[in-house]
């Protein structure tokens, strides 16, 4: 316990918290400031979703590249470059909002800044995971993993209050100047963190030719193009159909020729593939976009919606840190906690199916959000800890949780949008469309249960074994 109270641990904790929190702060700022951005860019509030897509698109690309770009001796250089780019991007947003140039310039600068800014700060999360993976003490590693997992819901809880009480007083442009300082703080901590870890074994990067890596990048770009077309043109537009067909064909080709694309096979530790699938599926159930939109459409007050979001974020934080504390004391509780998480997530998502009949039931609206968020918090804490514990020296596995969480969120947003649009195109009203969206969220938890039951035996969560060290 004394180890967890030292100055070195505190530095690591701040490093890890910022590493997985800065991106969420940027996204939360956009969500809370939709009206300001809509007015500034002369678009509707709903169209500000393109800014979120720009952040997530850049982040996905960065997290896909991270295992190949973060090398044992290049972490400091990459961090300097990423921090510099993030500062420039956030500063550019602030300057643009102050200077107020022509509309075209505003659109280009703001969208590009969010895309490149999201790309830059996304590298911080795997760097934080790398620092956690290099910790020798298992209790310290478990505690840091809990902090890393809790960083995102903490940011989602705190940022709206900061924007409400700070940004609206000093201006959103000045708020982004403040936000630009956070990557600098992260950069200052890097030498302290990695110098203290210098004697530990560092994961070797997977050797991939740049031309071969281009196939992965190309698939991600096709995915972003297809999702953007769904948002802008609609699911029934021919361009959307072409892009989605190209994306599916490219994904199938990449899977079939995956062994040829890699110089050597990436051997996943035993049981980790199941854990990764569970982490991905759990994020699909937790997308809060459509249940919040449903409440807006049914004239729930802004204060109630904000309170509901606060309860959800608080439940997720409690789930993360509660599960982390229990696993720190009793590591063998992982399986029980995971089943508890799935049960809570299913209960919360299933309760959303009751919304159309009980829209005025405040207790139902809050309880469903809290149960779902709490379950996702517990499950994410368990799965991230299990994945990192089993990673050994596998760089891909160490950095996988950040990518899977973001990919699951992105796939969820786009899949639910497709379900919603398809339902309305078939002639059903919005209530049926929302019911179908909530049903898909519940079914994603059922799919997670099926993966846990049939993908591998249940003890895989506890007994996942590190992969054998690669020959040097």
């Amino acid at each position: 316990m004394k180890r967890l109270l030292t100055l070195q641990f505190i530095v690591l904790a701040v490093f890890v918290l910022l590493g997985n929190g800065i991106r969420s702060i940027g996204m939360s700022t956009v969500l809370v400031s939709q009206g300001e951005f809509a007015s500034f860019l002369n678009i509707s509030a709903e169209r500000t979703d393109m800014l979120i897509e720009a952040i997530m698109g850049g982040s996905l690309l960065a997290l896909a590249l991270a295992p190949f770009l973060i090398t044992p001796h290049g972490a400091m250089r990459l961090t300097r470059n990423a921090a510099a780019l993030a500062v420039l991007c956030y500063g550019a947003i602030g300057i643009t909002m102050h200077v107020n140039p022509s509309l075209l310039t505003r659109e280009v600068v703001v969208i590009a800044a969010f895309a490149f800014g999201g790309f830059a700060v996304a590298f911080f999360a795997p760097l934080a995971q790398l620092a956690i993976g290099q910790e020798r003490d298992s209790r310290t590693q478990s505690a840091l993993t809990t902090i890393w997992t809790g960083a995102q819901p903490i940011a989602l809880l705190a940022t709206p209050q900061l924007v409400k009480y700070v940004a609206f007083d000093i201006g959103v442009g000045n708020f982004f100047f403040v936000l630009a300082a956070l990557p600098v703080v992260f950069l200052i901590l890097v030498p302290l963190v990695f110098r203290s870890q210098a004697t530990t074994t560092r994961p070797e990067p997977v050797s991939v030719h740049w031309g071969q890596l281009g196939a992965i990048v190309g698939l991600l770009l096709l995915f972003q193009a297809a999702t953007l077309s769904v948002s802008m043109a609609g699911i029934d537009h021919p361009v959307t159909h072409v892009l989605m067909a190209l994306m599916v064909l490219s994904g199938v080709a990449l899977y079939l020729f995956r062994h040829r694309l890699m110089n050597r096979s990436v051997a996943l530790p035993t049981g980790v593939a199941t854990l990764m699938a569970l982490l991905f599926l759990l994020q699909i159930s937790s997308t809060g976009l459509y249940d919040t939109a449903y409440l807006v459409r049914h004239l729930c007050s802004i204060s109630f919606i904000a309170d509901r979001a606060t309860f959800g974020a608080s439940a997720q934080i409690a789930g993360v840190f509660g599960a982390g504390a229990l696993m720190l004391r009793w590591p063998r509780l992982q399986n029980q906690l995971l089943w508890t998480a799935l049960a809570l997530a299913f209960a919360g998502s299933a309760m959303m199916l009751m919304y159309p009949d009980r829209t005025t039931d405040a207790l139902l609206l809050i309880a469903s959000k809290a149960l779902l968020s709490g379950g996702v918090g517990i499950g994410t804490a368990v799965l991230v800890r299990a994945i990192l514990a089993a990673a050994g020296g596998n760089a891909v596995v160490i950095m996988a949780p950040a990518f899977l969480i973001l990919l699951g969120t992105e796939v969820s947003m786009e899949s639910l949008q497709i379900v919603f649009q398809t339902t309305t195109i078939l002639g059903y009203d919005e209530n049926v469309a929302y019911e179908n969206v909530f049903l898909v969220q519940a079914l994603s938890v059922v799919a997670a249960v099926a993966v846990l039951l049939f993908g591998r035996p249940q003890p895989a969560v506890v007994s996942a074994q590190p992969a054998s060290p690669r020959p040097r």
Side-chain angles (χ1 to χ4, degrees):
M1 182 58 68
K2 291 181 179 179
R3 174 71 178 84
L4 302 182
L5 300 177
T6 62
L7 179 61
Q8 181 186 353
F9 177 81
I10 294 173
V11 170
L12 274 167
V14 174
F15 179 83
V16 168
L17 191 65
L18 287 175
N20 199 31
I22 294 177
R23 185 184 68 250
S24 295
I25 293 174
M27 293 178 63
S28 297
T29 302
V30 175
L31 288 171
V32 178
S33 307
Q34 280 182 312
E36 283 71 18
F37 280 110
S39 176
F40 186 67
L41 298 176
N42 195 28
I43 58 177
S44 65
E46 290 78 9
R47 292 288 297 278
T48 56
D49 288 346
M50 72 174 67
L51 300 179
I52 298 296
E53 292 187 359
I55 295 172
M56 297 186 72
S59 300
L60 272 177
L61 184 59
L63 293 174
L65 295 174
F68 313 116
L69 297 183
I70 299 178
T71 61
H73 303 292
M76 185 63 190
R77 182 177 66 254
L78 178 62
T79 307
R80 281 197 300 265
N81 295 336
L85 180 58
V87 171
L88 287 174
C89 290
Y90 290 145
I93 295 172
I95 292 172
T96 304
M97 298 191 80
H98 275 288
V99 175
N100 195 21
S102 66
L103 178 60
L104 178 61
T105 302
R106 296 200 300 266
E107 291 175 341
V108 171
V109 172
V110 171
I111 294 175
F114 274 118
F116 284 102
F119 177 81
V121 299
F123 282 108
F124 297 165
L127 282 166
Q129 287 176 320
L130 184 63
I132 295 172
Q134 292 173 357
E135 262 298 325
R136 290 178 176 177
D137 182 61
S138 61
R139 288 173 63 82
T140 302
Q141 188 179 79
S142 179
L144 290 171
T145 300
T146 300
I147 293 172
W148 185 93
T149 308
Q152 183 173 346
I154 288 173
L156 295 177
L157 178 65
T159 304
Q161 306 305 319
L162 290 175
V163 174
K164 181 179 179 181
Y165 294 108
V166 178
F168 291 168
D169 289 336
I170 66 175
V172 176
N174 288 332
F175 187 80
F176 273 94
F177 288 143
V178 176
L179 187 58
L182 293 181
V184 177
V185 176
F186 185 83
L187 179 61
I188 292 172
L189 295 177
V190 170
L192 302 176
V193 170
F194 287 104
R195 182 174 59 187
S196 65
Q197 312 287 338
T199 59
T200 62
T201 302
R202 300 187 179 189
E204 294 182 7
V206 179
S207 178
V208 179
H209 290 305
W210 283 102
Q212 298 167 336
L213 186 58
I216 301 174
V217 174
L219 179 60
L220 285 176
L221 292 177
L222 275 175
F223 173 72
Q224 289 301 318
T227 56
L228 183 62
S229 181
V230 172
S231 300
M232 302 294 289
I235 187 63
D236 57 342
H237 199 280
V239 173
T240 303
H241 297 162
V242 171
L243 289 172
M244 292 184 72
L246 288 174
M247 180 187 69
V248 171
L249 290 175
S250 299
V252 171
L254 187 62
Y255 177 78
L256 293 176
F257 298 102
R258 63 191 183 280
H259 296 300
R260 295 184 183 181
L261 290 172
M262 305 297 292
N263 290 339
R264 49 186 173 178
S265 61
V266 181
L268 292 178
T270 304
V272 163
T274 298
L275 302 178
M276 288 181 173
L278 288 170
L279 183 60
F280 172 80
L281 288 169
L282 202 56
Q283 309 312 309
I284 295 178
S285 67
S286 63
T287 300
L289 182 64
Y290 279 91
D291 53 277
T292 301
Y294 180 85
L295 299 183
V296 172
R297 298 289 290 181
H298 286 76
L299 304 179
C300 291
S301 68
I302 296 176
S303 60
F304 175 77
I305 293 173
D307 290 342
R308 179 177 176 272
T310 299
F311 276 111
S314 300
Q316 189 167 351
I317 293 170
V320 169
F321 284 97
L326 289 173
M327 289 187 292
L328 193 63
R329 181 64 179 86
W330 298 289
R332 291 287 174 177
L333 286 179
Q334 284 187 116
N335 262 324
Q336 292 89 331
L337 286 171
L338 183 55
W339 280 110
T340 300
L342 293 175
L344 290 174
F346 179 76
S349 57
M351 288 170 68
M352 290 181 181
L353 292 170
M354 302 167 62
Y355 281 9
D357 297 324
R358 301 173 63 180
T359 305
T360 59
D361 189 340
L363 180 60
L364 172 69
L365 300 178
I366 292 176
S368 58
K369 180 70 172 178
L371 285 175
L372 175 58
S373 299
V376 170
I378 295 171
T380 303
V382 172
L383 293 168
V384 171
R385 180 184 185 276
I387 290 171
L388 292 184
N394 193 318
V396 172
V397 177
I398 287 177
M399 300 178 194
F403 179 77
L404 291 170
I405 290 172
L406 187 63
L407 181 65
T409 303
E410 173 79 350
V411 169
S412 173
M413 289 176 61
E414 303 305 333
S415 300
L416 297 181
Q417 184 179 34
I418 290 172
V419 170
F420 189 90
Q421 287 192 18
T422 302
T423 304
T424 55
I425 288 173
L426 292 175
Y428 295 97
D429 62 24
E430 283 193 349
N431 280 339
V432 176
Y434 279 114
E435 286 178 351
N436 287 343
V437 166
F438 300 150
L439 179 61
V440 170
Q441 290 181 258
L443 290 177
S444 69
V445 183
V446 175
V449 172
V451 168
L452 186 57
L453 286 173
F454 304 110
R456 277 191 60 83
Q458 182 176 337
V461 178
V462 174
S463 60
Q465 298 296 320
S468 301
R470 290 191 180 91
R472 296 182 179 272

